[in-house]
Amino acid sequence: MNELEHLYFDDTGPGGFKSGMVPCTNYVDSRTGLSNDTLGRETAAQWIRTAFQQILKELADDFVTADVAAGIGGLDASIGFEMLRPENVGVAFNDSLFFFSFFITDKSSMADLIAMGTAMAIGACGGPQVPYRGGRIDATEAGPFGVCQPETDLKTTLSSLSGAGFNQADTIALTACGHTMGGVHHSTFPQIVGPEAVSPNNLDGRIAFDDTVGVNDINVVRQYLSGTGNRGGALVTTTNKTVQSDLRLYESDNNKTMERLSQSPEQFNSICASLIARMIDTVPNGVTLTPVLDPGNVKHAAILLNVDWSGKLTLSGFLRYIETAGSASAPESLDVTVINRDGILTANTVKAVGNLSTDTGNGVFGPTFPYPFTVDIPGKTGLGGIAVGSERFPLQDTLFVVPVLSSITPGLASYNIIDPDKLWTFNVTAAYRTFSTPSSLTATVKYQVPQPGNTSPRIDSSNTAQLALIGKTGPFSLYSAVLQYTLNSKQVFGSSIDIVDEGSGAKAEFFKLFSIMEFS
């Protein structure tokens, strides 16, 4: 399982990716890192808005500046360079990018995390499953100006979205889909929302789009058409006609699109899922997205392979079982059978017992349960993968980092995610099953570094070192390197290492250095 799959399907406990929006009415203030329910804000709604930066009115610019025909623009996280622009007013973008930044790694770009946040906020808060792909590449500079504002006239709004491949009906529907949660705030748009909206539990003065503010549902459409509840929110009801941007848009086809959206929750969800997937999948030329991530029923995660000085291998990790629609209930246990390095299914089987009292999923695909396992493997026959029922998961023991023979100093006991810079020492040991001594075995350490003019970090891949032979065990040669960097704890958390033998092409990619801490 890759990093994006792990974040999207599994990494949802305390400190996990979903934690910022649990419950869906929760708001995490980036100034403190703590929840705050007095401001009238929602993290889930902010995540959606951060991707909808590309759409209309108050939303920012990556997407509306896209020109599909020319292959430029799209979701590339360039908003990080644009935070001081007047068009990016408010705290929503800064809050979202700050939270997402903790999960930036070599395999998870900020653009991918923005898209993931949108899909998760919609799917986990009552909305549809939005097909999600990875592979986006972050921009290295700001995009052009040109974002629709609440004051923008109808012709300009529709023209902006047409360049990104969205017609009038698409634009209306996208706006309604994006305005099912959250609202408009006096603190951000005083020309739209007056001071009377401010109260002790609504200090930023929010007027919600509908009266189910924490649920992604059809109510914004039905309340707009019926004139009940919040009637579609302040961008419809404000007396300042200059900024009635939603009303101008909804009425531009005599409400035909809104009527079509209102037919049923199923139709609303289907249209929204399709349009939002198109939106987040709009990327610049040269970017190739992955296939849609598939939760499946059973997959593996957090796999670690160790070898001791007798040559015995130990594989550990966990399986996760998702009770997807129509699937069987999670079983009490799952059998894990070792496939040897020759591809032969062995008799080496262990039971992974599930923790069925803990749902670790993101709420989008169904209840999700972990099944931790550990299995010893003879070094002579080795590892080519594991089998779980009819599923086969390929693994390899040619070249791998050995956590039990590696260490990080100062270690987990002194780790705090908000710690300042300190000197970290990584003693990294790798096992290499080879018949000849490599001319060089190179380690590349990758970690976050600040970007001038951007609120988001980037990944620095310029740090390399050579590993030296320290001994042999069974069929494996052991190589080691001691690496020292001055980093903060956030950088350590997202750091990873690749080890490559350029001569043979053998490689161990994206080993997260933080994984060593439990053995240090």
Side-chain angles (χ1 to χ4, degrees), residues 7-66:
L7 287 175
Y8 193 34
F9 300 128
D10 303 313
D11 192 12
T12 54
F17 191 79
K18 187 192 174 188
S19 63
M21 46 161 283
V22 178
C24 290
T25 53
N26 186 50
Y27 169 62
V28 177
D29 191 335
S30 64
R31 295 168 296 183
T32 64
L34 302 175
S35 295
N36 186 342
D37 62 0
T38 67
L39 298 178
R41 294 190 175 274
E42 289 177 9
T43 292
Q46 290 185 335
W47 288 5
I48 295 171
R49 187 187 170 201
T50 300
F52 267 73
Q53 59 177 312
Q54 302 83 272
I55 306 183
L56 300 165
K57 304 172 287 295
E58 77 271 31
L59 312 176
D61 80 57
D62 280 353
F63 186 72
V64 296
T65 56

Side-chain angles (χ1 to χ4, degrees), residues 205-341:
R206 178 182 65 193
I207 292 181
F209 293 118
D210 64 28
D211 58 13
T212 51
V213 68
V215 182
N216 196 289
D217 60 18
I218 196 174
N219 283 358
V220 67
V221 175
R222 289 183 169 173
Q223 290 182 8
Y224 162 74
L225 290 172
S226 66
T228 59
N230 290 27
R231 296 182 290 158
L235 295 172
V236 171
T237 62
T238 177
T239 58
N240 182 351
K241 293 185 180 298
T242 304
V243 291
Q244 289 178 329
S245 51
D246 280 6
L247 181 62
R248 282 194 295 272
L249 192 59
Y250 295 162
E251 289 183 338
S252 66
D253 68 349
N254 295 315
N255 288 321
K256 290 181 181 178
T257 298
M258 295 296 277
E259 293 283 1
R260 181 166 61 97
L261 288 170
S262 73
Q263 295 305 304
S264 70
E266 293 76 18
Q267 177 152 304
F268 177 81
N269 284 344
S270 176
I271 292 171
C272 289
S274 175
L275 288 173
I276 292 168
R278 282 173 56 193
M279 180 190 80
I280 62 176
D281 285 354
T282 301
V283 293
N285 264 345
V287 176
T288 301
L289 297 179
T290 68
V292 173
L293 298 191
D294 176 14
N297 285 123
V298 180
K299 288 196 176 181
H300 63 75
I303 293 293
L304 297 174
L305 184 61
N306 279 296
V307 63
D308 64 18
W309 286 104
S310 71
K312 182 186 72 177
L313 295 166
T314 300
L315 181 72
S316 62
F318 70 86
L319 306 173
R320 66 106 174 99
Y321 188 97
I322 298 183
E323 293 180 355
T324 54
S327 70
S329 298
E332 291 186 0
S333 65
L334 293 166
D335 287 343
V336 181
T337 301
V338 174
I339 301 170
N340 70 23
R341 69 173 64 102

Side-chain angles (χ1 to χ4, degrees), residues 322-383:
I322 298 183
E323 293 180 355
T324 54
S327 70
S329 298
E332 291 186 0
S333 65
L334 293 166
D335 287 343
V336 181
T337 301
V338 174
I339 301 170
N340 70 23
R341 69 173 64 102
D342 293 325
I344 298 172
L345 197 66
T346 71
N348 190 358
T349 298
V350 296
K351 281 192 178 297
V353 178
N355 181 358
L356 302 186
S357 64
T358 302
D359 179 357
T360 63
N362 63 19
V364 178
F365 300 94
T368 303
F369 303 102
Y371 293 73
F373 71 92
T374 299
V375 58
D376 292 333
I377 304 167
K380 183 177 180 180
T381 54
L383 175 68

Side-chain angles (χ1 to χ4, degrees), residues 428 441-445 463-467 481 483 485 497-500:
V428 179
L441 199 59
T442 304
T444 301
V445 178
N463 304 285
T464 62
Q466 298 299 310
L467 281 77
L483 314 166
Y485 302 102
I497 190 168
D498 294 349
I499 299 176
V500 178

Side-chain angles (χ1 to χ4, degrees), residues 8 40 45 80 95 135 138 154 181 214 260 283 316 322 395 411 418 450 477 486 491 509:
Y8 193 34
D95 284 344
D138 289 346
L154 179 65
M181 299 178 70
R260 181 166 61 97
V283 293
S316 62
I322 298 183
L395 300 168
I418 60 173
S477 298
T486 299
Q491 289 173 301
E509 291 187 304

Side-chain angles (χ1 to χ4, degrees), residues 130-148:
V130 177
Y132 174 71
R133 306 171 189 269
R136 295 165 190 79
I137 297 174
D138 289 346
T140 57
E141 60 184 4
F145 288 86
V147 180
C148 297

